[in-house]
Amino acid sequence: MPPPTETTVVESDLTLDDGRILHVYDTGDDTGDRLAVFWHHGTPNIGSPPRPLFAAAERLGVRWVAHDRPGYGGSTALPGRDIASAAADVARIADALGVERFAVMGHSGGATHALACGALLPDRVVGVVGMATIAPYAAAGLDWFVGMARSSEAALRSAAAGRAAREAFEAAEEDLGSPFTPEDDAMFSGEWGWLIDVVRPALASGPAAQIDDDLAYVAPWGCSPADIAAPVLLVHGDRDRVIPFAHAEWLARRVPGATLWRRPGDGHISVLTAAPGALAWLADRVR
């Protein structure tokens, strides 16, 4: 059996009409027949596509495209950005790469930005996967903070009080304990230890981009998940203490035709063991 093909990630900078730069990642090739999947990273990460899924992507014929969200890595900050702003940035990247139609996939806060692309780019997004997805803040019928770890709840409550409060919370560096389960912690010693590689550079220039993310999570999205027409898969661990499982249940009731995979015993990170299967689900639905 020949050795597996090594995935090459090409990085580039895209300058937008407003002068902002988006740092872009692409595993594309010259054949043009691969399904483009835009990866949306969590908080706080840079946008490098998920190395633990490269082997599955090769088998499925998936081309990864991704970018650093504004303020992270090589992308220019965009203070006051909302969740919906991700769709416009993704559309600009797709235009620059000559990609007309594509799927989107994200984890944690990135999953929420992926849903925005599905809602706002209906003629281009052919499928959506959200893993451990945050529901809209103040969503009717959802007690948003119930089930969150103290650290997650405190950070997001401070964001809800405004930028100054969120910055003060960050500066205080209060130890409120880890939001991760033992199953989550175990993931960092395996292939998903890759997450550490995308967290460190995301924080290298300080917490400003993470704060911008948190402010966006507790503000109006600028779009509605109910407007997504493409197939949607939500994957969520029922022991998630960062984003409780109730968020996925709320979204599944409101996204037309959404499929929900409840992952018994999984937390916020261990839910990623389902990612290869979720990617296969996506490739199967959009071809």
Side-chain angles (χ1 to χ4, degrees):
M1 179 180 296
T5 302
E6 183 174 346
T7 300
T8 299
V9 180
V10 176
E11 301 184 37
S12 61
D13 288 331
L14 175 64
T15 302
L16 306 181
D17 291 341
D18 60 7
R20 287 191 298 124
I21 292 173
L22 295 176
H23 190 68
V24 177
Y25 307 80
D26 183 12
T27 68
D29 55 30
D30 295 329
T31 64
D33 60 355
R34 297 170 73 83
L35 168 66
V37 177
F38 277 71
W39 171 255
H40 290 264
H41 65 82
T43 302
N45 298 169
I46 60 169
S48 184
R51 190 172 63 234
L53 294 180
F54 281 1
E58 286 294 332
R59 291 194 303 270
L60 295 166
V62 164
R63 168 188 181 179
W64 290 112
V65 181
H67 71 290
D68 298 333
R69 211 154 40 243
Y72 287 110
S75 292
T76 308
L78 182 62
R81 58 181 165 85
D82 59 11
I83 300 297
S85 66
D89 284 348
V90 164
R92 293 177 180 117
I93 294 167
D95 288 345
L97 295 177
V99 176
E100 180 59 33
R101 290 165 64 79
F102 49 85
V104 291
M105 182 175 185
H107 174 242
S108 190
T112 301
H113 289 85
L115 290 185
C117 293
L120 294 172
L121 303 173
D123 295 332
R124 305 189 74 170
V125 173
V126 297
V128 181
V129 171
M131 306 190 71
T133 313
I134 306 172
Y137 185 65
L142 174 64
D143 200 333
W144 208 74
F145 291 107
V146 167
M148 281 189 189
R150 290 178 64 209
S151 55
S152 297
E153 180 177 353
L156 290 167
R157 283 194 184 277
S158 72
R163 180 177 294 275
R166 180 63 182 83
E167 289 175 345
F169 173 82
E170 193 69 27
E173 296 183 343
E174 185 179 358
D175 184 5
L176 297 176
S178 172
F180 298 133
T181 67
E183 292 82 5
D184 288 336
D185 289 333
M187 294 285 286
F188 293 111
S189 61
E191 61 180 353
W192 284 101
W194 164 83
L195 287 168
I196 298 170
D197 296 337
V198 293
V199 168
R200 285 175 177 156
L203 295 176
S205 58
Q210 180 178 4
I211 291 171
D212 286 343
D213 271 354
D214 282 355
L215 292 170
Y217 300 141
V218 298
W221 282 15
C223 61
S224 171
D227 292 336
I228 303 174
V232 175
L233 173 64
L234 300 168
V235 186
H236 215 111
D238 62 9
R239 292 188 62 203
D240 193 329
R241 299 176 65 241
V242 178
I243 303 169
F245 179 70
H247 286 235
E249 292 182 301
W250 188 93
L251 285 165
R253 290 193 298 268
R254 286 159 178 82
V255 176
T259 298
L260 173 59
W261 288 359
R262 176 175 184 152
R263 297 282 299 177
D266 272 338
H268 193 66
I269 305 299
S270 65
V271 74
L272 288 167
T273 58
L279 187 62
W281 181 97
L282 183 61
D284 182 59
R285 291 305 183 284
V286 302
R287 286 195 169 140

